Amino acid sequence: MDIGSSLKLVKRRIEEAAAASGRKGEDVKLVAVTKTVGTDRIKEAASLGVTCIGENRVQEILDKYQVLKEYPLEWHMIGHLQRNKVKYIIDKVALIHSVDSIALAEEINRRALQAGRRIDVLLQVNVSGEESKYGMSQGAVQGFLERAKEMQNIHIRGLMTIAPYTHDPEEVRPVFARLKDIFEEIKTAAIPRVDMDFLSMGMTGDYTVAIEEGANIVRIGTGIFGSRGQ
Ligand SMILES: *Cc1c(COP(=O)(O)O)cnc(C)c1O
């Protein structure tokens, strides 16, 4: 399927899942995951209305940014971020989805201060406690927020998770429901300078379930660009 047809299908499924949870398609932000996708195809996606792209490797962001910086694209860092690489992307990305330690948050805060900006971040939570080696445990979230809320140059905007891979997305529905619960708990706690605006969950295999459980950002690669051939 070409990118245009895939995008249409994805948008329709987003609309249906949003309707199932009493929302509109436009309430859900689509991040087109462009890792391994060449810049010509990203330009094509941009011409078809894609406005947010997600990358998981710093080097790939830097290479593509050179080519695409004139395009009206919002860059999202969705992969594990090493502290020593924060400085390369701090002035390029709109949202970092993958903050999973105090040390990383401190480095982002320091570099954002130097760059004269306040950067939006999400905490990556490893809800299932298995499969993925990245993301903080549920139990670590509270302590993290206590420390990170003092960091003037990062703005905590919500939570992100990667569900374990399954053939049947119904199996991971409880993972999404649990993250939504944590999201609501933090919102209710009304911690100064911590905002729960974004819940980033759902990929090609499970995004409709994630939206039904409350996701308002989905990260979709294969479903738009086809198989990455790995
Ligand atoms: C690759 C990736 C995605 C997209 O995966 P697809 O299954 O291709 O949709 C989403 N989120 C993260 C963090 C990724 O690394």
Side-chain angles (χ1 to χ4, degrees):
M1 231 193 307
D2 58 276
I3 297 174
S5 312
S6 304
L7 257 179
K8 260 192 207 140
L9 181 62
V10 165
K11 283 184 178 165
R12 201 182 71 224
R13 294 185 69 204
I14 289 175
E15 254 168 45
E16 287 167 3
S21 63
R23 293 176 297 159
K24 296 200 174 87
E26 69 221 39
D27 299 333
V28 179
K29 193 180 184 96
L30 171 61
V31 174
V33 176
T34 48
K35 62 190 186 199
T36 78
V37 175
T39 49
D40 285 344
R41 300 179 73 218
I42 300 176
K43 287 177 187 174
E44 186 185 347
S47 76
L48 293 164
V50 163
T51 54
C52 301
I53 59 172
E55 289 282 347
N56 69 338
R57 290 180 56 238
V58 167
Q59 189 57 51
E60 212 170 326
I61 293 178
L62 298 180
D63 293 344
K64 290 175 180 175
Y65 194 84
Q66 281 310 312
V67 182
L68 297 170
K69 61 185 171 206
E70 309 302 338
Y71 282 73
L73 289 167
E74 214 178 88
W75 297 69
H76 290 231
M77 177 59 187
I78 62 173
H80 181 67
L81 180 55
Q82 285 173 285
R83 270 179 288 164
N84 62 358
K85 295 195 174 157
V86 170
K87 58 179 177 282
Y88 300 119
I89 59 162
I90 197 72
D91 58 341
K92 299 178 179 65
V93 298
L95 182 65
I96 299 174
H97 292 230
S98 43
V99 174
D100 61 359
S101 72
I102 281 288
L104 176 60
E106 277 170 346
E107 175 63 6
I108 294 170
N109 186 54
R110 192 167 78 87
R111 294 294 179 177
L113 175 66
Q114 284 175 0
R117 68 175 295 197
R118 188 171 180 219
I119 187 161
D120 287 346
V121 303
L122 308 179
L123 310 191
Q124 182 176 351
V125 184
N126 184 352
V127 178
S128 54
E130 50 178 63
E131 196 95 1
S132 163
K133 54 189 171 177
Y134 299 124
M136 67 184 76
S137 67
Q138 299 177 47
V141 171
Q142 197 57 40
F144 176 91
L145 291 174
E146 281 306 314
R147 303 235 349 237
K149 72 181 186 195
E150 306 302 335
M151 299 178 193
Q152 302 284 331
N153 291 78
I154 65 175
H155 186 183
I156 298 169
R157 299 293 301 273
L159 306 177
M160 179 272 231
T161 200
I162 302 173
Y165 178 78
T166 59
H167 286 285
D168 178 8
E170 286 302 329
E171 281 175 24
V172 290
R173 187 182 287 277
V175 169
F176 298 136
R178 181 69 196 120
L179 192 68
K180 168 73 165 165
D181 284 346
I182 299 170
F183 181 84
E184 293 300 334
E185 282 163 23
I186 298 169
K187 210 183 239 186
T188 304
I191 304 164
R193 308 182 63 254
V194 172
D195 291 306
M196 287 292 117
D197 300 319
F198 299 122
L199 191 52
S200 169
M201 50 187 201
M203 313 182 4
T204 296
D206 55 21
Y207 68 95
T208 57
V209 173
I211 293 168
E212 285 164 15
E213 295 301 327
N216 62 6
I217 298 182
V218 290
R219 310 175 309 266
I220 301 179
T222 322
I224 296 172
F225 298 104
S227 163
R228 285 181 292 273
Q230 283 158 359

